[in-house]
Amino acid sequence: MKKRYIVCLTALSSLLVIGFVWWFLFAPSYLRFAPKGEYISQSTSPNGDYIVKIYRSSGGATTPFAIRGEVTYTNKVFNKKKNIYWNYPQETAKVK
């Protein structure tokens, strides 16, 4: 009985560790938890396939600003958004 309990506990903990490693390493868009921020500017690609929007995020009174860049693919059916840039500390950004 004790052996069965140890085997079940080991299997469960192994699955938990494997799941966490997969989520941390391979889950899409690892910046999905980044704060949204205040809109600063945007730039459209020359052929119009995507738009890059820049946001300034503040963590509060005691932390400096951070800049987040988000690309929106306009040629897709669902206008998929993806975080492509995150820099802390930074206050301004220019997109070309």
Side-chain angles (χ1 to χ4, degrees):
M1 187 69 173
K2 218 176 199 184
K3 188 175 182 180
R4 182 179 279 176
Y5 175 74
I6 291 173
V7 169
C8 287
L9 187 61
T10 303
L12 183 62
S13 61
S14 297
L15 285 175
L16 186 65
V17 168
I18 290 170
F20 179 74
V21 168
W22 178 87
W23 176 79
F24 186 74
L25 295 178
F26 304 111
S29 185
Y30 65 91
L31 286 175
R32 67 180 171 263
F33 300 116
K36 192 72 172 154
E38 149 193 7
Y39 174 78
I40 294 177
S41 67
Q42 77 178 25
S43 180
T44 306
S45 67
N47 59 1
D49 284 346
Y50 56 89
I51 299 170
V52 175
K53 294 182 181 178
I54 303 297
Y55 297 92
R56 180 173 52 199
S57 177
S58 174
T62 60
T63 60
F65 288 106
I67 297 294
R68 182 177 68 90
E70 175 183 87
V71 67
T72 304
Y73 299 98
T74 57
N75 61 352
K76 305 271 181 169
V77 175
F78 297 109
N79 289 339
K80 184 178 178 182
K81 295 179 181 180
K82 184 178 180 182
N83 290 313
I84 60 168
Y85 183 78
W86 175 264
N87 193 26
Y88 173 83
Q90 184 178 349
E91 288 194 30
T92 60
K94 291 183 182 179
V95 179
K96 292 184 181 182

Short mmCIF file of all heavy atoms in Angstrom, two decimals, residues 12 70 83:
data_model
loop_
_atom_site.label_atom_id
_atom_site.label_comp_id
_atom_site.label_asym_id
_atom_site.label_seq_id
_atom_site.Cartn_x
_atom_site.Cartn_y
_atom_site.Cartn_z
N LEU A 12 2.53 11.92 -10.11
CA LEU A 12 1.82 13.21 -10.09
C LEU A 12 2.79 14.38 -10.04
O LEU A 12 2.63 15.35 -10.78
CB LEU A 12 0.88 13.26 -8.89
CG LEU A 12 0.01 14.51 -8.77
CD1 LEU A 12 -0.91 14.61 -9.98
CD2 LEU A 12 -0.79 14.47 -7.49
N GLU A 70 3.77 45.96 -29.61
CA GLU A 70 2.82 44.92 -29.96
C GLU A 70 2.57 44.97 -31.46
O GLU A 70 2.29 46.03 -32.01
CB GLU A 70 1.52 45.16 -29.20
CG GLU A 70 0.39 44.24 -29.53
CD GLU A 70 -0.86 44.63 -28.77
OE1 GLU A 70 -1.60 45.48 -29.26
OE2 GLU A 70 -1.07 44.08 -27.67
N ASN A 83 3.20 40.32 -28.65
CA ASN A 83 4.19 41.20 -28.04
C ASN A 83 5.55 40.89 -28.64
O ASN A 83 5.99 39.75 -28.63
CB ASN A 83 4.23 41.01 -26.54
CG ASN A 83 2.99 41.52 -25.88
OD1 ASN A 83 2.55 42.62 -26.16
ND2 ASN A 83 2.43 40.73 -25.00
#
